[in-house]
Amino acid sequence: MNKELTGFVKAWEAAVRKSAGPKKRSNSIFTPMSVAHVDDDDESRHGDEVSQVEKILSNGDFFTGQWLDDGPHGHGKYLWTDGCMYVGEWQMGGIMGKGRFSWPSGATYEGDFKSAYMDGKGTYIGSSGDTYKGCWVMDLRHGQGTQSYPNGDFYDGEWRKGLQNGHGRYQWKNGNHYIGQWKNALFYGNGTLMWSNGNRYDGCWEEGLPKGNGTFRWGDGSFYVGVWSKDPKEQSGTYYPSGSCAGHLEWDPQELFSVDLLDCTVCACEKVSIYPSQKSLKMLEGVK
């Protein structure tokens, strides 16, 4: 992972640990000073009644929707000056419930929110067509989910902290596919890689490459079994032909690393420019 993603994940972990602690009543992001009625003579709002308001903030942000006491509550829309927008449910001044967040790039997220985080089940569609549908925890893909990539590749499986982790299946556009274990978006553990020409590798993986015991099979039934490593000095094995077929006797096992795996690159997910939870909600000061 790059330094920026590593830093975000560390902050994410700290936030998760904090959220697991004792529950405290959170302060509203809107102070009482920010409250402004649509009309000073409006007498239709009494006590806990929800009113409909439109408000322009001092920095140019805009909110329209339902209002209760000192903040948005119910359904509302918040538009930032940079073009980001949230439309959906609010609770006691915060983004909470079902909603849709859109970026100026054209990317969108629609689904569950908790305290402004993408959290629960939802669908993210990137500006390039990158699409994820599944579980989220605090803005990161976490749990079961499916990912479609702009180049036609597809992943269905488990995620952890924004990356493929656990068991999953990756399908390349050319027909190749991998089924097995993952760690930090790489093949790791036991797994099977199958090529569209009928060849396949079954065995152990480490950091995205065959490492340890494994078997490479050809479509004609012949196979090579042994200990695999990108370092030729650490590799050993035996070739078994199919019947009288000996067509692969001169095959170098290192070709698996230098040739066969070249068209099996796992795509990275589209980078989110800024997460909804990172967008500030300014105090409401004006009325329109």
Side-chain angles (χ1 to χ4, degrees):
M1 292 188 290
N2 58 40
K3 293 182 178 179
E4 181 179 354
L5 180 57
T6 300
F8 180 80
V9 169
K10 288 182 178 179
W12 181 90
E13 291 174 327
V16 170
R17 288 195 296 269
K18 184 177 180 181
S19 66
K23 298 294 182 179
K24 295 182 178 180
R25 184 177 180 181
S26 59
N27 294 326
S28 173
I29 55 174
F30 301 100
T31 68
M33 293 179 61
S34 68
V35 176
H37 295 283
V38 177
D39 190 333
D40 291 338
D41 296 327
D42 181 10
E43 297 180 357
S44 62
R45 182 173 175 270
H46 300 285
D48 294 332
E49 292 183 9
V50 175
S51 61
Q52 187 73 23
V53 302
E54 290 187 358
K55 295 173 180 286
I56 292 181
L57 288 77
S58 60
N59 66 342
D61 290 355
F62 175 77
F63 172 81
T64 179
Q66 294 177 301
W67 191 271
L68 177 65
D69 294 333
D70 60 351
H73 187 80
H75 190 277
K77 176 171 69 174
Y78 194 105
L79 178 63
W80 287 266
T81 54
D82 64 1
C84 290
M85 181 173 68
Y86 171 78
V87 180
E89 297 177 344
W90 299 72
Q91 287 188 26
M92 304 306 294
I95 295 175
M96 184 80 71
K98 302 287 185 181
R100 184 178 189 270
F101 188 96
S102 59
W103 288 260
S105 65
T108 62
Y109 168 83
E110 188 165 0
D112 297 327
F113 287 85
K114 293 179 183 178
S115 300
Y117 288 98
M118 299 184 289
D119 197 303
K121 291 185 178 181
T123 299
Y124 173 84
I125 301 177
S127 58
S128 63
D130 180 287
T131 302
Y132 172 83
K133 183 177 182 179
C135 298
W136 299 77
V137 173
M138 298 185 74
D139 286 338
L140 294 180
R141 297 165 174 83
H142 194 89
Q144 194 73 22
T146 60
Q147 173 75 43
S148 299
Y149 300 90
N151 68 346
D153 291 358
F154 181 83
Y155 172 81
D156 180 14
E158 296 176 285
W159 299 75
R160 181 176 173 79
K161 301 177 185 176
L163 299 171
Q164 294 96 328
N165 270 272
H167 188 272
R169 180 179 188 273
Y170 192 99
Q171 175 83 44
W172 286 268
K173 183 180 179 181
N174 61 13
N176 299 346
H177 60 279
Y178 169 86
I179 301 175
Q181 297 298 311
W182 295 71
K183 183 179 180 180
N184 295 332
L186 296 172
F187 311 149
Y188 206 110
N190 292 318
T192 298
L193 179 59
M194 290 168 275
W195 286 262
S196 57
N197 61 7
N199 296 344
R200 62 184 288 166
Y201 169 83
D202 300 89
C204 298
W205 299 79
E206 187 175 304
E207 300 294 337
L209 297 173
K211 180 75 172 179
N213 295 322
T215 302
F216 186 91
R217 302 176 185 273
W218 286 267
D220 61 11
S222 56
F223 62 96
Y224 175 96
V225 60
V227 177
W228 297 78
S229 174
K230 194 174 183 179
D231 183 354
K233 297 179 182 179
E234 298 178 356
Q235 182 158 338
S236 63
T238 304
Y239 170 75
Y240 296 89
S242 175
S244 59
C245 176
H248 306 294
L249 285 174
E250 298 181 358
W251 179 74
D252 181 359
Q254 287 297 303
E255 288 187 21
L256 176 59
F257 300 92
S258 61
V259 179
D260 298 274
L261 291 176
L262 292 181
D263 59 349
C264 296
T265 302
V266 176
C267 292
C269 297
E270 179 179 292
K271 182 180 178 181
V272 178
S273 58
I274 186 169
Y275 294 94
S277 61
Q278 296 173 319
K279 297 293 294 178
S280 61
L281 298 167
K282 297 297 183 181
M283 293 184 297
L284 304 184
E285 297 176 348
V287 179
K288 184 175 180 180

